[in-house]
Structure formats: C-alpha cells, structure tokens
C-alpha cells in the first residue's frame, strides 16, 4: 500500500465518523410534524414550542401588568428625583463646607439618620430621610469645617495643658533634687540636711544627758556653799557681838 492509499483510508475513517455523528443527531432530535405522530405519544417539535411560547406570553402579560401598575409611581419618582437630588446635594454641601449650594451659611443643627430594621426611615410629609437633631452629648455634630476648627482649638488647649504638665514635671524634678539631692552635682538635699540636723540633735541630747548630772551636782554644791556662807555670816555676827560685849 502506497502512502497515498494510507491517507485515503484515514480520510475515509474520519468521514465515516462524521456522518455517523450527523446521523445520530438527526435521529435523536427529529421533528414530528403535525399529523405525523401517533396518538398517545409525547408532544414534540412545533407543539412543544407552542406550549413554551404560550408560557412566555403569560409571563410577558404578567410582567406588562406589573409594569403598567408601577408606571405611575415611576413617573412620580422621576418627577421628584431632581428635587431630592438637590436636597441631597445641599445636605452634602452643608456637611462639607457649612453652606448650601446657594452659598448660604447653615445656622441649624446637623441631624442624624434614623434606621429601623436596617432601613432608613423617611419623613412621611416630604418623603425625604428623617433627620432629627442629634443630642449635644457627648459632642454636638457640626459641619466639617466647624468640627475642624473645634478640633484645632482642642488641640491648641491640649498643647497648652501639655506645656503646663511639662513645666510641672520640671518643677517636680527640681523639688525632687532639692529634697533628695543631686548625685551628679554632688549637692545635698533637704533629706540629707534633715538627717544631719537629726544627728546633731541626737548628739546634743547625748551631751545634755551627760551634763545633766554635773549640772545638778553644781546646783547642789552651790546651794551648800550658800548655806555655808550664810552660816559663816551668822557666826561672824556672833563673834562681832561677843567682841563688842567684852569691851
């Protein structure tokens, strides 16, 4: 067998497989034309498509009915949309700049959205989100520029307080060194000086206790000497009186 013969045999095999696939597809997906099928057989072909078309027509009729019922609401929402967009733009402008879109300063109080079951509650009168005023505790909400100014003022006060605290810490350090002394500067503190004074006082107390008996002894001796002196003076007077009498 030549090389060409081999190619032809292979091509014949490929074509056979292709035609086999086409025949299987036609056999499994044939169309039963009206009147050709037998009674009791399942619907197929145009009858099946007709049922599908009927189902889609019913679904389209229901969708169109819902669309017709919702169309007036859609028109109303479309008419209200520009006013609501302007309201939302004003609210965003007030939050971001403190002024509305017309440039008018906002003098009211920032409101808070109300949620219930995860949904924003609307004002029944306006159809817009309800914005009741927020309580002023702990912080009253303001437009962003005003909040930034308040934050800057608080930071300024905080810096002042931090400066005061730093000065107090320096004063505390100075007083600590004054009380405990500074080993680096080799200076004594009030505690050391007080300890020295206490030591001196103890020494003085010891010396005083040592001198107390000597003082008492000197007082007793002085008293005895005074008595002796008085006794000698009396004796001297007696002797003078005796001498005067003898003359």
């Amino acid at each position: 067998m030549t090389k060409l013969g081999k190619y032809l045999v292979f091509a014949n095999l490929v074509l056979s497989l292709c035609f086999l696939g086409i025949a299987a597809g036609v056999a499994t997906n044939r169309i039963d034309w009206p009147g050709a099928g037998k009674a009791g057989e399942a619907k197929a072909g145009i009858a099946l498509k007709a049922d599908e078309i009927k189902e889609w027509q019913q679904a389209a009729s229901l969708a169109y009915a819902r669309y017709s019922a919702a169309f007036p609401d859609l028109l109303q929402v479309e008419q209200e949309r520009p006013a609501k967009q302007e309201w939302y733009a004003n609210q965003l402008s007030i939050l971001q700049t403190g002024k509305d879109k017309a440039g008018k300063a906002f003098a009211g109080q920032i409101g808070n959205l109300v949620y219930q079951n995860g949904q924003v509650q609307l004002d029944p009168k306006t159809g817009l989100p309800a914005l009741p005023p927020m309580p002023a505790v702990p912080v009253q909400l303001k437009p962003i520029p005003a909040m930034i100014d308040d934050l800057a003022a608080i930071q300024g006060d905080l810096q002042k307080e931090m400066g005061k605290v730093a000065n107090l810490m320096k004063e505390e350090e100075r007083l600590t060194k004054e009380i405990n002394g500074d080993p680096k500067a080799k200076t004594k503190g009030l505690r050391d000086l007080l300890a020295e004074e206490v030591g001196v006082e103890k020494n003085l107390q010891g010396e005083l206790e040592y001198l107390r008996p000597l003082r008492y002894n000197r007082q007793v001796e002085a008293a005895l000497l005074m008595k002796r002196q008085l006794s000698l003076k009396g004796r001297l007077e007696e002797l003078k009186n005796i001498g005067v009498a003898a003359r």
Side-chain angles (χ1 to χ4, degrees), residues 214-229:
L214 298 178
R215 177 186 176 186
Y216 291 154
N217 293 335
R218 295 296 182 270
Q219 289 179 347
V220 172
E221 292 177 357
L224 293 175
L225 290 175
M226 290 295 295
K227 290 181 180 180
R228 180 66 177 169
Q229 184 178 6

Side-chain angles (χ1 to χ4, degrees), residues 27 34 42 52 55 90 138 214:
E52 292 181 359
E55 292 178 0
N90 281 329
L214 298 178

Side-chain angles (χ1 to χ4, degrees), residues 13-217:
L13 176 62
V14 172
L15 290 174
S16 299
L17 293 175
C18 290
F19 289 130
L20 177 62
I22 293 172
V26 171
T28 56
N29 295 284
R30 69 182 183 278
I31 298 175
D32 292 333
W33 301 102
K38 296 181 180 179
E41 291 183 353
K43 293 182 180 180
I46 294 177
L48 181 60
K49 296 299 180 182
D51 292 339
E52 292 181 359
I53 291 172
K54 185 176 180 181
E55 292 178 0
W56 284 110
Q57 286 177 344
Q58 292 177 353
S61 298
L62 293 175
Y64 183 75
R66 290 194 296 268
Y67 171 78
S68 299
F71 187 72
D73 296 335
L74 177 61
L75 291 179
Q76 183 180 358
V77 171
E78 289 293 337
Q79 291 175 357
E80 296 175 353
R81 184 179 180 185
K84 291 184 177 180
Q85 286 179 336
E86 183 179 0
W87 182 84
Y88 280 111
N90 281 329
Q91 295 300 319
L92 291 175
S93 178
I94 289 171
L95 287 176
Q96 294 174 354
T97 64
K99 300 179 181 179
D100 58 12
K101 297 296 289 184
K104 184 179 179 181
F106 178 72
Q109 186 176 357
I110 300 297
N112 185 31
L113 293 173
V114 179
Y115 290 91
Q116 186 174 359
N117 297 327
Q119 294 183 353
V120 177
Q121 297 301 301
L122 303 179
D123 189 349
K125 296 181 180 180
T126 61
L128 298 172
L131 294 175
M134 288 193 64
V137 179
V139 177
Q140 181 180 357
L141 285 183
K142 300 178 182 179
I144 293 176
M147 296 292 286
I148 292 175
D149 294 339
D150 292 346
L151 179 61
I154 292 174
Q155 288 179 344
D157 295 339
L158 182 61
Q159 292 295 330
K160 292 180 181 179
E161 293 299 324
M162 291 177 65
K164 292 180 181 179
V165 171
N167 293 331
L168 290 175
M169 291 178 65
K170 291 180 180 179
E171 181 66 15
E172 181 182 3
E173 184 179 0
R174 185 187 68 80
L175 293 175
T176 301
K177 290 182 179 180
E178 183 177 353
I179 293 173
N180 297 329
D182 189 358
K184 295 181 180 180
K186 297 181 180 180
T187 57
K188 295 182 179 180
L190 295 178
R191 292 180 184 274
D192 297 331
L193 296 177
L194 180 61
E196 291 179 358
E197 292 295 329
V198 171
V200 171
E201 183 179 0
K202 289 183 179 179
N203 294 332
L204 291 176
Q205 290 291 337
E207 294 180 1
L208 183 61
E209 295 296 329
Y210 174 75
L211 294 175
R212 194 183 301 277
L214 298 178
R215 177 186 176 186
Y216 291 154
N217 293 335

